[in-house]
Amino acid sequence: MASTQARMTARARARAAQQKVVADRKARDEKNMGSLTDYFAAAEQIDAARLAMARALDDIRGREGTLSAAATLAGITTGEVRKLLALLVDPAAASASADIGDDTSDSDSDAATESRDGSASNETDDSTATSDATTSKIATGDSVPDTEPATSQG
């Protein structure tokens, strides 16, 4: 009879422990949902800000006539200007270009860019190093971006 009682007590303790694990997971999930809501709201604001930046750079390029003039006025590289202006063509690229590891170099682009009126400008892009905003390192045109290690779920 004592062993039956011990087994029942052990099962009750195991059930209580399992219920505690489930309750803790539920509490963490609720807090995580709140944090994720904040995260995605901020991401939408970033995307909207990047589109506003792209429109402003497009206006500057239209007035100044060249991509490099817009980049110089904004104090950024022509590659960064190209990335932002690409958002005007494909707004879905806003979140993709903000991802970590998305590092396209200025030297990957065509040397002769077209100005707004369609004529080719004489601007060349001899910058071979760009500042990688995600790691604050200098990335060269032939470098491979750092990748984040995969995390296991558990």
Side-chain angles (χ1 to χ4, degrees), residues 48-90:
R50 291 176 57 81
L51 280 172
M53 291 166 58
R55 287 185 196 105
L57 287 171
D58 189 43
D59 291 344
I60 293 170
R61 180 181 66 173
R63 284 188 292 272
E64 295 298 319
T66 64
L67 196 69
S68 63
T72 302
L73 285 172
I76 58 177
T77 65
T78 54
E80 292 174 40
V81 172
R82 283 187 192 99
K83 286 180 190 178
L84 287 168
L85 292 178
L87 299 179
L88 296 176
V89 176
D90 183 17

